[in-house]
Structure formats: C-alpha cells, structure tokens
Amino acid sequence: MDDDAIRLRSVSRRYGAGDGAVAALDEVSVGFPRGTFTAVMGPSGSGKSTLLQCAAGLDRPTSGSVVVGGTELTGLSERRLTLLRRERVGFVFQAFNLLPSLTAEQNVALPLRLAGRRPPHGRVREVLRQVGLGDRARHRPPQLSGGQQQRVALARALVTRPEVLFADEPTGALDTRTGREVLSLLRGMVDREGRTVVMVTHDPVAASYADRVVFLVDGRVGGDLAGAGADAIAAHLTGLEGRPC
C-alpha cells in the first residue's frame, strides 16, 4: 500500500435518494502503484469515469476513502482540494479544452498563471519538447492537427510536474495512428520518468499500452489483467458485457 500513488478503500458513489438512487460505484477498493500505467475499462455505465473523478478529487465519494500521495481527500475543504488538484494532479480528456486565441505555449502555461505563479524559465518549452512540439510553441490550436492539440493538452497537464496523470478517453477524438502516438508518449512518461498514469478507455488496443487493466462492472471491480495484449483484454471485456445483471 505504501507504494500506491492512489488508493481507494470501500469507495461508493450514489446519485439521487430513496428508490431512485443509482450506485455508480459500489464499495470499490483498488490501488494504483507509483510509476505504473493502469487502464480502467468496463461496459457502458460501469462507473469508469466516476472512479476516475473520485480518485482525482473532482467528485466526492458518498462513502469510503481516497488517498493520493499519502493525503486523504475525503476530509479536505474545497479550497485544499482545489490546491491539491492544481499542484499534484494532471488531467487529459477526450476534448482538448484549449483556448483557441492562445498559442500552444500560452495554453500550457495557463494552469500556472491561474494559480498566480510565473512559469519557471524554460519549463513550458521543455514540456512542449517532451511531447514533440518544440517547434509549435507559437502556433494556436486552429493551426494544429487534432493529435498536436492533444499533445498540447498533455504538456499542459505535465507543466506542474504532477504526481499522477489522469486521462479520460485521451485518444477518443483521434485517428488510429495519432492515437497510438499519444499512447506511446504516455507509456514513455511512465518508463522514462517514473510517472503514474491512470487512463479510462473503451479501446482494448489503447489498454494494451498499460501495465495493468482494471475492469469495472456494475460499479464494482470485475478483475484485472497484467501485461495482456489487446485480444486478451477484448475477450475479458466481452465476458463482462455478457454477464447477467
């Protein structure tokens, strides 16, 4: 457990009340070790995105415990939770969420400026080089391809040197070749820099880039696979989708 960058213990998240209540997560306990790449998969409505949002401090569990880097999230005030997300967690989503009027380097620097911090000299260009866009710093999003825009979003997530990078369907809006380039970047960040990546995906090929795949079904952990290829991941996912409710 001490090696976990994130640890969820008996986490439940319910929406609504009474007979109409829906359990998106039901007593989920799972850890994400430091310096590893974990994919989270499951049938539609299984709780994948809710798991990511609770683990990242974007949503509060109804019950249970979430610990990020030794810090218990569930008792934090909104202000302290905001600070933790800003300083210790990075996010990449399917939508790039870039400001079209800003250049790539201005978009990357935005989280620091919103926090009232001046970007360290060279840091913004450094992360743009890491994602292969060192020569696109002055370009605005409309001048970039979809894959390049996702790389800018990835650089923006990395500029604060987060302990954990959360990715929610990061290749969902990309073509196959470009998606694999982004996945290779995520894989390299784990292998070369020891970062921790947690990625929600529906794609077995994307999940095959991860060290481990955690499966959810009906808001509960439905097993995991380590070091599996796309075919084995797809077969396991198909088995989950065929389970009776």
Side-chain angles (χ1 to χ4, degrees):
M1 284 190 184
D2 289 343
D3 290 333
D4 286 339
I6 314 138
R7 164 65 58 174
L8 282 70
R9 297 186 183 91
S10 301
V11 168
S12 295
R13 182 63 172 102
R14 297 180 182 85
Y15 297 97
D19 293 340
V22 175
L25 295 177
D26 186 9
E27 295 286 323
V28 169
S29 293
V30 63
F32 300 95
R34 288 185 179 87
T36 63
F37 187 171
T38 304
V40 179
M41 300 191 78
S44 178
S46 60
K48 301 184 297 295
S49 291
T50 302
L51 174 68
L52 183 145
Q53 289 163 7
C54 288
L58 292 169
D59 193 8
R60 290 186 182 271
T62 306
S63 60
S65 168
V66 179
V67 178
V68 174
T71 300
E72 169 64 61
L73 301 193
T74 44
L76 294 183
S77 66
E78 285 299 328
R79 178 180 174 278
R80 292 187 62 196
L81 200 54
T82 298
L83 288 173
L84 180 139
R85 289 195 302 262
R86 182 183 292 164
E87 297 174 359
R88 298 170 60 184
V89 173
F91 303 95
V92 180
F93 300 100
Q94 179 173 334
F96 312 134
N97 296 321
L98 302 177
L99 294 181
S101 62
L102 300 183
T103 64
E105 63 183 348
Q106 288 170 334
N107 269 288
V108 171
L110 194 59
L112 295 171
R113 295 196 179 281
L114 290 175
R117 296 161 55 191
R118 178 176 296 181
H121 180 69
R123 175 60 183 163
V124 171
R125 290 297 181 102
E126 176 190 345
V127 291
L128 282 170
R129 285 194 297 270
Q130 284 178 358
V131 300
L133 291 178
D135 60 345
R136 296 288 191 272
R138 299 294 178 89
H139 288 63
R140 289 178 170 78
Q143 300 171 304
L144 301 172
S145 69
Q148 290 171 332
Q149 290 184 60
Q150 187 60 295
R151 287 169 180 250
V152 173
L154 183 55
R156 181 183 56 193
L158 294 172
V159 73
T160 59
R161 293 186 171 91
E163 295 175 25
V164 184
L165 179 67
F166 292 98
D168 195 353
E169 300 282 6
T171 61
L174 304 177
D175 62 66
T176 300
R177 181 183 63 80
T178 307
R180 291 184 181 185
E181 290 174 357
V182 170
L183 289 164
S184 294
L185 279 172
L186 293 173
R187 180 71 257 174
M189 288 168 188
V190 174
D191 294 340
R192 292 191 298 272
E193 302 172 32
R195 295 189 184 276
T196 304
V197 176
V198 179
M199 176 182 70
V200 165
T201 184
H202 69 281
D203 180 3
V205 173
S208 70
Y209 282 74
D211 300 300
R212 179 179 62 140
V213 185
V214 173
F215 296 92
L216 292 183
V217 58
D218 297 328
R220 299 180 178 179
V221 175
D224 64 0
L225 290 175
D231 290 344
I233 294 167
H236 193 96
L237 186 62
T238 299
L240 292 177
E241 291 172 340
R243 285 186 184 180
C245 296

